Amino acid sequence: MTIAYLPGPPDDVPLYEPWAGEPEVLAEAAEAGRRAAAWIRSLPAPPAPRPVGTWLAVALPGAVESATGSLDPAQCDRMGPDGRLIEGNGGMDAGTASTLAIVPCVLSDVDWLTPDQHLRLMAVASVVTGIARLLADDPGTAILHGQVTRMCATLDHATRPDHPGLASEFEQEI
């Protein structure tokens, strides 16, 4: 294997230049994350205090806000100086990723919520993780082609306010 180095010191090459529209897309994602966190906080508390209730009221919405508020396309997959791939994280730290990853496992303990709320919580964790992964894998495509914007729309749909008295179109058809 041959390794060729570019001429000049590494300081001559800019490490990252923002994409057109990047600040607006990141602001949109942060706002969608704040709305999602507010929805999670609005979910009913358990009938009796328990640790999973605190996790749902504090840790999960905090992770959603942290992940969407710290998105960073500069933290994308890249080659290191030694030629090895450095896997990016899109700006989401490992602790936040871990909190979002355990959502499907924790839902069995959140038995006071409805199956619809369980599904929507899984959607939130998946979408937020997906936005960071999109930015890590290919930030240009994710930003310029509206993928992050579409993911934010999905996040908003999953966290729309609950309307307990209204049946969904699907339930009305049955």
Side-chain angles (χ1 to χ4, degrees):
M1 173 188 343
T2 303
I3 298 175
Y5 295 96
L6 295 173
D11 295 339
D12 288 352
V13 181
L15 296 176
Y16 179 79
E17 290 191 27
W19 298 93
E22 180 180 315
E24 295 82 7
V25 168
L26 296 178
E28 177 184 9
E31 183 57 34
R34 283 190 289 277
R35 287 189 299 269
W39 174 77
I40 295 168
R41 288 183 185 105
S42 76
L43 292 172
R50 49 177 134 162
V52 74
T54 302
W55 176 86
L56 182 65
V58 179
L60 182 58
V64 169
E65 283 181 316
S66 175
T68 57
S70 65
L71 292 171
D72 184 2
Q75 295 297 317
C76 59
D77 297 342
R78 60 199 176 279
M79 295 301 272
D82 60 354
R84 292 184 188 200
L85 177 67
I86 299 172
E87 189 171 331
N89 60 15
M92 184 167 51
D93 65 76
T96 300
S98 176
T99 299
L100 294 170
I102 64 168
V103 168
C105 303
V106 172
L107 288 179
S108 62
D109 290 335
V110 187
D111 56 0
W112 67 92
L113 296 181
T114 68
D116 178 66
Q117 291 166 329
H118 282 199
L119 186 60
R120 291 166 66 185
L121 285 167
M122 287 198 312
V124 168
S126 178
V127 168
V128 170
T129 302
I131 292 171
R133 191 71 250 151
L134 280 171
L135 290 174
D137 288 345
D138 188 359
T141 300
I143 292 169
L144 298 175
H145 295 284
Q147 292 176 338
V148 172
T149 298
R150 286 192 300 277
M151 295 291 279
C152 289
T154 302
L155 186 59
D156 281 339
H157 182 75
T159 60
R160 67 200 180 279
D162 290 326
H163 299 289
L166 301 176
S168 70
E169 291 177 23
F170 176 75
E171 290 170 334
Q172 291 174 358
E173 291 176 6
I174 295 178

